[in-house]
Amino acid sequence: MLLGNIFLYFYLGNSEKISDAQRHVIYLVLGVFCAIGMCCFLLLAPSGTESEVEEEAEDELVVESQSILRPIIDAVKFCKTWQMGFLYGPIIFTGVSLNFWSSVFITVIGNVFPNRSYLALGGICTGIGEISAGFIWGRLTSKIGRHGVIMCSTVINCCLYYLAFISFPFDAATTTASVAEENPIIPSNIYLTLAMGVMLGLGDGGFNVSIYTALGTIFEEKPAPAFAVFKFVQSMIGAAAFLYCGHLLLPFQLGILAVTCLVGCVCFIILERYPSQVLLVNAEDDQD
């Protein structure tokens, strides 16, 4: 999120319109960044000692002989656990939030401010918030707990939605013109918008960090199917949100975000109130 947006900021400069030639260069450079990232993943060395790596290789041979449907069956089992049921609340919110910060927020900036470099600044600030969330919430989790992180993230998100409601035109996410035509409650300000970008990253990152740690703790014995369910549901909700984001006025989209955020916070807090029962998932799964 940082490298690509930094490139966009210096490349676009103070231009108010992105030409076709610029668009081609942007796609090319971002595609190269993507390819470099995938190559870095391929070059990562396997974790553990040589003996552990050999044992994993033998296990993989055994797994290959098993039914290909086994991972799907395990994922379906995890879908039906009550722990995952409570996690659906925050997971659904992360899907809606993913669509907002990756598409709606940037669209709003482009429709409110004519300077195209502000698009990159918005992405940079959101990236700073997401990266900072990993450090801040990761350290605070041991002090205030996962439920504390979720509550703090909920407060940040709700403040963000209120600021967006009063400072952006209601048609900023849906207008077909180059600039939004309606007037906001208060004048739009680029510095406030960039601050909202950081808040957006912090709030979204807080929910994701808490969900990751909860999945790793609750489903300690078999985390892979649980994470698969998490990413599947999050992606499906993000895709569904993408379908309506270009048609609903901004206040309705902010309302959906606020409601799912509050519901996700309540569901996560309820889940955290029953820590003594989280290991039942592994015990029941072993019995099956």
Side-chain angles (χ1 to χ4, degrees), residues 174-217:
T174 57
T175 181
T176 56
S178 58
V179 179
E181 299 176 355
E182 296 186 9
N183 294 322
I185 298 175
I186 65 173
S188 302
N189 184 287
I190 184 57
Y191 299 106
L192 178 61
T193 302
L194 298 181
M196 286 191 284
V198 177
M199 294 171 64
L200 185 59
L202 285 173
D204 179 76
F207 269 80
N208 279 283
V209 167
S210 298
I211 293 173
Y212 284 137
T213 55
L215 290 174
T217 302

Side-chain angles (χ1 to χ4, degrees), residues 123-177:
I124 291 172
C125 289
T126 305
I128 292 174
E130 292 281 357
I131 295 172
S132 301
F135 291 101
I136 296 173
W137 301 132
R139 291 181 176 273
L140 288 179
T141 298
S142 59
K143 298 181 180 180
I144 63 177
R146 291 191 293 260
H147 64 284
V149 171
I150 284 288
M151 292 176 67
C152 292
S153 301
T154 301
V155 172
I156 293 174
N157 283 325
C158 290
C159 292
L160 160 69
Y161 303 149
Y162 175 74
L163 292 175
F165 175 77
I166 64 175
S167 63
F168 291 143
F170 290 173
D171 65 335
T174 57
T175 181
T176 56

Side-chain angles (χ1 to χ4, degrees), residues 68-81 84-85 88 215 219 222-233 281 285:
I68 193 174
L69 296 177
R70 184 62 190 177
I72 301 176
I73 295 174
D74 290 339
V76 172
K77 287 183 178 180
F78 279 84
C79 287
K80 297 185 291 184
T81 59
M84 186 61 74
Y88 284 145
L215 290 174
F219 306 98
K222 292 184 177 180
F227 278 95
V229 173
F230 163 47
K231 298 308 295 183
F232 175 78
V233 175
V281 178
D285 187 68

Side-chain angles (χ1 to χ4, degrees), residues 20 26 67 90 93 124 130-131 187 198 213 218 259 263 286:
D20 291 337
I26 291 171
S67 172
F93 166 71
I124 291 172
E130 292 281 357
I131 295 172
V198 177
T213 55
I218 298 173
V259 171
V263 171
D286 292 338

Side-chain angles (χ1 to χ4, degrees), residues 14-127:
N14 295 322
S15 60
E16 296 185 358
K17 185 178 180 181
I18 301 177
S19 63
D20 291 337
Q22 287 178 313
R23 200 172 285 112
H24 294 158
V25 172
I26 291 171
Y27 277 116
L28 177 62
V29 173
L30 295 182
V32 171
F33 283 160
C34 217
I36 293 174
M38 289 188 291
C39 290
C40 290
F41 273 110
L42 293 175
L43 295 176
L44 290 176
S47 59
T49 61
E50 293 184 1
S51 59
E52 291 176 346
V53 173
E54 292 177 357
E55 292 178 358
E56 290 180 358
E58 294 177 357
D59 293 339
E60 289 179 359
L61 293 176
V62 175
V63 170
E64 289 179 358
S65 63
Q66 297 178 352
S67 172
I68 193 174
L69 296 177
R70 184 62 190 177
I72 301 176
I73 295 174
D74 290 339
V76 172
K77 287 183 178 180
F78 279 84
C79 287
K80 297 185 291 184
T81 59
W82 68 266
Q83 289 90 342
M84 186 61 74
F86 280 109
L87 282 174
Y88 284 145
I91 290 174
I92 288 173
F93 166 71
T94 60
V96 180
S97 179
L98 173 64
N99 171 74
F100 185 78
W101 66 256
S102 63
S103 62
V104 178
F105 186 65
I106 300 301
T107 301
V108 169
I109 294 177
N111 290 334
V112 172
F113 304 101
N115 193 326
R116 299 296 95 177
S117 64
Y118 289 169
L119 297 173
L121 286 177
I124 291 172
C125 289
T126 305

